[in-house]
Structures are given as structure tokens and as C-alpha cells.
Amino acid sequence: MGGLDRRKFLTGASLGAAGLAAGCDCAETCGVSAGPAAEGKTRKLKMVTTWPKNFPGVGDAADEVARRISVMSGGAITVDVFAAGELVGAFEAFDAVAGGAADFYQGAEYYWVGKSKAYPFFTAVPFGMTAAEIMAWVNHGGGQALWDELSAPFNVKAFQAGNTGHQMGGWFKREIRSLEDLKGLKVRMPGLGGDVLRRLGAAAIAIPGGEIYQALQSGAIDGTEWIGPWNDLAFGFYQEAPYYYGPGFHEPGAALGVGVNLDLWRDMDAREKLIVQTACEAANNDSLSRYNYFNAVALESLRRDKGVTPRPFPDDVMAAFARESKAVLEATAKSDPMAKRVYDSYRDAMAKLSAWGDISESPYMNIRREVYEI
């Protein structure tokens, strides 16, 4: 499965993480003393994730949260990170934290859609917010308060702690020329994006990232979305599904969450809480910057070294994605009162943010291309 490329990728990512660790003096940059915790209080905690072991990008974000918590607490709080399957399965991470078998999870909130239809809004929804927009909504537009209200009955307190930025539409074994080509396809796509595909006649399947390549290889699936060029190149998807489509309609800026066992959170003092929150915020920012840069580098490699030519979805397919996305989101909002409140808040914030973007970044990007002839 492209082992050589994957090893190179993992080695480079490890060096990058080591450089970041060596270059960060959290006592100065994070505003929290790295000295021993008051009164000698110590905690040894466990974090479970939804990602494969040593997985760059999303996995780095989990490791960064743990590392920063340890450094900022002067070693008084240590967090052992467990990959999917080491302690619990990827999709069992939420229940492990809610029940106290683990102290933190790190993953994508839309994996918990079985708990509430409101959860996908805190990762990504079809034709929804970009990375910058979802950060703005959660931090300043009322999203965090709704997230707290949603998660508290499950004994969880959650924070943003990673973002992949825009995700591509996916890799397919055969060309998508029209809507007819979607019918009957088995595609790995979780969240509300999967609901959109089902409405268009495809079979959307949710499987953990570590199982995708084997599923493509065996024919269990005909296509997959994952993240973007950086992670997709590492997994070698181009070897099994050579047709690469974008832009992705389903995850325009996918946020990752760290969930804390609520009993643990309530037991923490103000200093410990600030350390956890600050570590999550730092990992969130670092994650997005990594993805923006390394997706660009990997895209260049896919084109130059692997002969991959990204292609747009046909117009009728993208129009159908848009039409069915609206229907899926409206149905989700009607599914329960909490989902409706989250949807209304999300939509209101997105309208405000879009109005600003329409007169700022969008026209600027078009003009910039002309200036630099790129």
C-alpha cells in the first residue's frame, strides 16, 4: 500500500513534530507556568483517539494536546495517548470517556451522530463553514455554549483541538461522468455527507481511517473520501482508486474535538482547566497550519511523481450535492430540538461570516492570482 511513500511521510512528520517540540517554550508562549503544580497534585490520564497509530496530521494534534498539557503543568499532569484499537475501537472512544474508562478522546464529532443529530455541526456539514468560520462560530458566536449543553448529558466537556481545513471530494475506482455513475457505488463517507450520497443512490459507508486502503483493495468500497493530499498520498489511495475529485462538498473545514470526562473536568482546579483549554487551542491552530502547508506540498508530489490529475465533479453532480445537502440539513434540524437550536445558530453565524467573506477574501483571492500570475 505504498509503503515507501508512507515511511517517508511518517519520518518527515516525526521530524516536524520533534522540531515543534524543541522550539516551544510554553512557559513563555502559552502564558502558563511550567513549574510543578500547586500542592504537589499529580494526574496520570489516558487519551483514546479515532486515528491509526503514528498518524500524522490528525494524530499529531492528539499528541500535541498531550505534550502541551504535560509541559505546561510541569509534568504534574501526564497524558498517555492510545491509537484506535489499542484501548478501544475508533468509534468507541466517546463511550469510553463518557463512562470513565478513558479521560480524553480526540476525534471527529460527527462520529457521534448516533448520540445526537447535532454533533456533525461541530465537525463539518455539507456546504457548511470553512475552518476559519467554524473556529469563529465556536469561539465567539455561541457554538461552544451549545456544544457544552449538547455534551453534558453524556458526561463530556469538549473543545476544538484540530482542523484539517478543506477536504477533497475523494478517490474513485472509475470516473464520475454524471449522476448515473454514483448510483450503486459503495463510498466511504461518514457524517451528513454520507446521507447526501444515499439520497443520490450511492451506498455510504462509515469505516475508520485505518481500514480504508484494505477496503478499496478488496473491493468492499468503490471510492473513499479521507482528508486531503497530505494524508491521501501517505495512504497510497491513488494506487487503488486513480480518479481524484474535488472540491469536497461534505467537509469544507473539518474540526476535530477533544472530549474530557465531565467528572474529571469538574474535579480540576482553574489552573488545570486553563492548561487543558490552552493545549487544545494551540493544537487546533497548529493543526490547521500543518494541513494548509503539507496539503500543498503533497498535491505537488501527486501531480509530479504519481501522475494524478485532480478533476472537478461534473456540474450536474455538484448541483445535486447542493440540492440534497440542503434537504439533509433541513431534515437534521427537524430531528430534535437540540439539533434545531444548533442548526439555527450555525446558519446565522455562517450568513454573517459569508457576507464578510464575499467582500474580503473571495475577491482578494481572485485578484491575487492575476497579480502573481498563478
Side-chain angles (χ1 to χ4, degrees), residues 163-183:
N163 198 301
T164 68
H166 180 86
Q167 296 199 5
M168 285 289 282
W171 299 83
F172 294 83
K173 291 191 171 186
R174 61 175 185 262
E175 290 185 80
I176 307 298
R177 297 187 180 91
S178 70
L179 273 176
E180 285 300 311
D181 292 325
L182 286 178
K183 293 182 179 177

Side-chain angles (χ1 to χ4, degrees), residues 1-11 234 238-239 306:
M1 58 169 287
L4 180 61
D5 290 335
R6 182 174 170 83
R7 286 195 295 273
K8 288 180 179 177
F9 174 82
L10 292 173
T11 300
Y238 61 90
Q239 297 175 116
K306 309 302 180 186

Side-chain angles (χ1 to χ4, degrees), residues 204-287:
I205 301 167
I207 57 176
E211 300 174 15
I212 296 175
Y213 189 91
Q214 290 79 7
L216 279 173
Q217 194 172 49
S218 70
I221 57 176
D222 305 305
T224 183
E225 66 80 38
W226 179 221
I227 297 177
W230 186 25
N231 292 147
D232 294 354
L233 172 62
F235 270 25
F237 293 147
Y238 61 90
Q239 297 175 116
E240 300 294 334
Y243 300 103
Y244 196 29
Y245 284 91
F249 75 94
H250 59 303
E251 296 187 44
L256 309 176
V258 158
V260 188
N261 175 274
L262 191 56
D263 295 329
L264 169 64
W265 178 254
R266 288 169 174 162
D267 186 61
M268 287 182 171
D269 60 31
R271 182 177 181 278
E272 292 174 313
K273 288 178 179 178
L274 181 60
I275 286 170
V276 171
Q277 184 174 356
T278 301
C280 289
E281 290 172 351
N284 196 55
N285 294 335
D286 178 66
S287 173

Side-chain angles (χ1 to χ4, degrees), residues 309-322:
T309 301
R311 57 188 68 198
F313 285 110
D315 291 344
D316 66 327
V317 172
M318 191 58 79
F321 287 158

